[in-house]
Amino acid sequence: MRRVGGEVAPLPFDGPAMLRGLAVADGLAVVPPGGAAAGGVVEVLPVPGPCPAP
């Protein structure tokens, strides 16, 4: 997911082997089984940024 203002939006890269989505993500949304309603509240786990160059 990406942060958009005070909300989050899903990325278009969502397949199980799509590491590209994780590479550009700001965080991971914890969605309950069965999904979440649009505008609903979900937990967001931050994704660490890139490692600094040596």
Side-chain angles (χ1 to χ4, degrees):
M1 44 97 343
R2 294 288 267 188
R3 293 188 185 279
V4 181
E7 299 182 351
V8 296
L11 294 168
F13 318 107
D14 63 355
M18 293 295 295
L19 291 177
R20 179 179 180 187
L22 183 57
V24 298
D26 293 326
L28 297 173
V30 180
V31 180
V41 176
V42 296
E43 181 181 3
V44 175
L45 304 175
V47 174
C51 295

